[in-house]
Amino acid sequence: MTEEIVHITEAAALQIKEMMKENNEENAYLRVAVKGGGCSGLSYGMGFSPEKEENDQLFEQFGIRVLVDQNDGPILKGTKIDFKQSLMGGGFTIDNPNAIASCGCGSSFRTAKVAGTPEEC
């Protein structure tokens, strides 16, 4: 296991576990990734992965095994993933201390060292 790169709050972990159960993915890993795109150049990705890849860094939080590709590690280091519930429903929030710019939708960002590939919003 590697040092944690991303911090998942307990609220987010409970929601992730529920989603794993609903999708019959209880034994899967949670993959947190960075992709090119979005109006600021980079966007976040989260999903379930059946297995660990060679370049993945693995750590565990609240019983969830989390994978981050070693290339995404520096971009995501210190990122906090939370789940907020409101009258309008709920959703995941991502707070990345490395992001120096983001767009209005909140799901696209860039860092000082990685600009990504910006697209039209």
Side-chain angles (χ1 to χ4, degrees):
M1 295 260 190
T2 312
E3 164 192 351
E4 88 179 30
I5 297 164
V6 175
H7 173 72
I8 298 173
T9 66
E10 189 172 7
L14 290 170
Q15 185 64 30
I16 292 165
K17 284 181 181 177
E18 186 62 34
M19 293 169 75
M20 287 176 141
K21 187 176 180 182
E22 288 173 7
N23 292 291
N24 295 318
E25 297 276 7
E26 287 99 337
N27 295 319
Y29 297 91
L30 174 69
R31 179 174 299 283
V32 181
V34 174
K35 302 179 280 190
C39 49
S40 292
L42 299 170
S43 60
Y44 300 105
M46 278 192 344
F48 302 126
S49 181
E51 57 190 43
K52 181 182 180 294
E53 302 292 331
E54 186 177 328
N55 289 335
D56 286 337
Q57 296 172 297
L58 169 65
F59 55 96
E60 189 169 326
Q61 292 180 345
F62 298 104
I64 297 170
R65 298 175 303 163
V66 183
L67 298 176
V68 174
D69 185 283
Q70 66 184 11
N71 294 321
D72 294 344
I75 298 170
L76 293 170
K77 186 154 183 65
T79 296
K80 178 181 167 187
I81 299 174
D82 197 4
F83 186 82
K84 304 278 188 197
Q85 193 71 32
S86 72
L87 292 175
M88 301 295 287
F92 289 99
T93 62
I94 300 175
D95 180 21
N96 184 341
N98 305 304
I100 61 168
S102 62
C103 67
C105 61
S107 63
S108 179
F109 69 103
R110 65 183 159 100
T111 68
K113 295 182 180 176
V114 184
T117 53
E119 303 170 343
E120 288 279 328
C121 276

